[in-house]
Amino acid sequence: LMPDSMMFSMPGKPGLFPQYNRFDSPSSDGSPITALAAFRDTILQFKENGMYVINVSNPNQFYAQASYRDCGVLNPCQVFTTSFGVIFVNKKGCYIYDGHKLLLLLMVNLIGLINLA
């Protein structure tokens, strides 16, 4: 019923999700969230056409600290969390978010892959 909202639990009660503990997507396009990934004090919220970096360092005040167009994914299997960042792939290339910035590792063009690293 709310495909572009994230629900969160109460501190210390991971199985309870009160209806008012909800963070609505910063975009107003109504498209559904396709994947979520947590890294340090942020949650990466993926949609089909974009990615939002949600700062969750203060449990009483979540906010979108960055947004990236054309960095969305269609499926959660396209996102992988590591100890040094979140790696994800889409039709444009392979990216890593390291907690501070988004880096393009591989770019897809009409011929094939171009290694940028």
Side-chain angles (χ1 to χ4, degrees), residues 3-55:
D4 61 347
S5 293
M6 293 187 312
M7 301 288 292
F8 56 95
S9 66
M10 301 292 291
K13 298 180 181 180
L16 297 176
F17 295 91
Q19 186 176 2
Y20 57 85
N21 280 16
R22 185 177 87 200
F23 180 80
D24 293 321
S25 179
S27 74
S28 59
D29 62 3
S31 63
I33 297 169
T34 57
L36 295 171
F39 186 69
R40 296 186 182 150
D41 60 354
T42 60
I43 294 177
L44 302 186
Q45 182 188 84
F46 294 90
K47 291 190 167 198
E48 287 184 15
N49 296 315
M51 180 191 71
Y52 300 92
V53 180
I54 312 298
N55 188 304

Side-chain angles (χ1 to χ4, degrees), residues 93-94 104-117:
C94 181
L104 176 62
L105 300 175
L106 291 171
M107 183 171 63
V108 177
N109 67 10
L110 295 176
I111 300 169
L113 294 176
I114 299 172
N115 187 351
L116 300 176

Side-chain angles (χ1 to χ4, degrees), residues 52-112:
Y52 300 92
V53 180
I54 312 298
N55 188 304
V56 294
S57 59
N58 180 352
N60 298 320
Q61 185 68 35
F62 295 172
Y63 64 94
Q65 73 181 33
S67 65
Y68 299 95
R69 296 189 69 159
D70 298 326
C71 288
V73 299
L74 299 175
N75 200 308
C77 70
Q78 294 172 256
V79 181
F80 185 75
T81 302
T82 70
S83 60
F84 51 85
V86 177
I87 298 170
F88 62 97
V89 64
N90 64 20
K91 62 185 175 185
K92 304 256 183 190
C94 181
Y95 302 82
I96 184 168
Y97 178 76
D98 67 359
H100 302 289
K101 61 189 173 301
L102 181 68
L103 299 169
L104 176 62
L105 300 175
L106 291 171
M107 183 171 63
V108 177
N109 67 10
L110 295 176
I111 300 169

